[in-house]
Amino acid sequence: MNNNKWIDISQPLTNSIAHWPEDTPFTNQLTYSKEQTGSVNIGQMTTSLHIGTHVDAPYHFDNKGKKIIDMDVNYYIGRAKVIDVSDVDVIDGRVLEDFSLDGVERLLLKTSLKSRPELFPEKITKLEPEIVPILVEKGVKLLGVNMPSVDPIDSKDLLCHHALHQHGIYILENLVLDDVPEGDYNLIALPLAIAEGDGSPVRAVIQPTD
Ligand SMILES: N[C@@H](CC(=O)c1ccccc1NC=O)C(=O)O
Ligand SMILES: [Zn+2]
Ligand SMILES: [Zn+2]
């Protein structure tokens, strides 16, 4: 690694962070105050596992799929490329042709969605499932997006989730990329070791590689 500073690209987990409609809101509060215990503050949180910047385990959409603890941590750490696709509403194979993706292991898509962690977006950029075989061919093993999902918000068939999973590509959602220029970075976005988890919030950070 180099001497460049690491940059936080995670949504802050505040009590007003947006959650999926009908899903569990995030709350963090003190269970016991220092005055009560005489020594320490102790917090508690309630949350959906699909809150803020988070990763999905295949179990999220496949009953036979891996849970979070079984995911390979190596996928969440290493070289990543940020590309700016904010000029399109649909990302298909044609859009990806404009970028040089050979050998890219982790691809982070900067779509037109501006980061407003307290607002759940109604509409997001559409990823066409046809991009998945292209990503596989390039060597991509993790796809990150600055949106709550890699599928349309109202999708029930979750075609991109399934296609990515079938090809062994890990999913990272709700990144904050507003101030991140296109380029090459190191990425760390590790999930918590939640044994039965179908997903996990992550602290995602990147470091420019020069
Ligand atoms: N697939 C989304 C989550 C999702 O779809 C969802 C999350 C919580 C409650 C309902 C959801 N979808 C319902 O159709 C994600 O990966 O975060
Ligand atoms: Zn999720
Ligand atoms: Zn997802």
Side-chain angles (χ1 to χ4, degrees):
M1 301 237 179
N2 55 54
N3 285 325
N4 287 333
K5 283 215 163 163
W6 288 86
I7 305 160
D8 192 358
I9 53 167
S10 328
Q11 293 187 350
L13 294 172
T14 68
N15 283 357
S16 37
I17 193 170
H19 55 85
W20 275 79
E22 326 242 321
D23 200 14
T24 312
F26 177 85
T27 66
N28 170 33
Q29 62 183 86
L30 271 192
T31 319
Y32 303 107
S33 68
K34 192 162 184 301
E35 289 66 37
Q36 286 171 312
T37 63
S39 57
V40 286
N41 291 314
I42 305 170
Q44 60 168 287
M45 65 177 177
T46 51
T47 188
S48 162
L49 298 181
H50 300 268
I51 200 79
T53 308
H54 73 276
V55 299
D56 291 343
Y59 178 61
H60 178 47
F61 43 86
D62 174 356
N63 282 338
K64 295 202 175 101
K66 273 190 187 155
K67 296 183 177 163
I68 276 291
I69 199 137
D70 300 316
M71 307 297 281
D72 183 349
V73 292
N74 292 284
Y75 281 56
Y76 299 117
I77 307 172
R79 298 292 296 263
K81 183 172 187 133
V82 175
I83 63 169
D84 188 333
V85 285
S86 58
D87 54 335
V88 295
D89 294 330
V90 177
I91 299 172
D92 56 15
R94 162 70 204 81
V95 168
L96 293 187
E97 276 173 18
D98 288 347
F99 301 93
S100 121
L101 299 179
D102 289 340
V104 170
E105 289 187 311
R106 296 168 196 79
L107 181 65
L108 310 184
L109 300 178
K110 180 172 174 175
T111 74
S112 59
L113 187 70
K114 294 291 159 233
S115 181
R116 300 200 47 193
E118 300 181 358
L119 262 194
F120 194 84
E122 275 171 27
K123 200 169 178 307
I124 58 177
T125 300
K126 177 148 199 307
L127 305 189
E128 292 292 354
E130 71 177 43
I131 68 170
V132 174
I134 300 170
L135 299 180
V136 173
E137 199 251 318
K138 300 290 182 193
V140 173
K141 52 190 196 182
L142 176 141
L143 180 66
V145 292
N146 62 341
M147 319 185 277
S149 184
V150 291
D151 277 298
I153 298 298
D154 57 0
S155 169
K156 288 291 174 202
D157 51 19
L158 298 176
L159 290 177
C160 284
H161 280 85
H162 284 283
L164 289 164
H165 168 44
Q166 271 157 24
H167 290 87
I169 300 179
Y170 283 25
I171 300 169
L172 170 60
E173 297 167 323
N174 268 338
L175 293 167
V176 179
L177 298 175
D178 298 33
D179 300 327
V180 175
E182 281 191 315
D184 295 315
Y185 297 86
N186 292 310
L187 167 79
I188 304 176
L190 283 169
L192 302 175
I194 305 171
E196 295 294 315
D198 64 300
S200 170
V202 300
R203 186 73 180 262
V205 291
I206 54 172
Q207 177 195 46
T209 55
D210 295 329

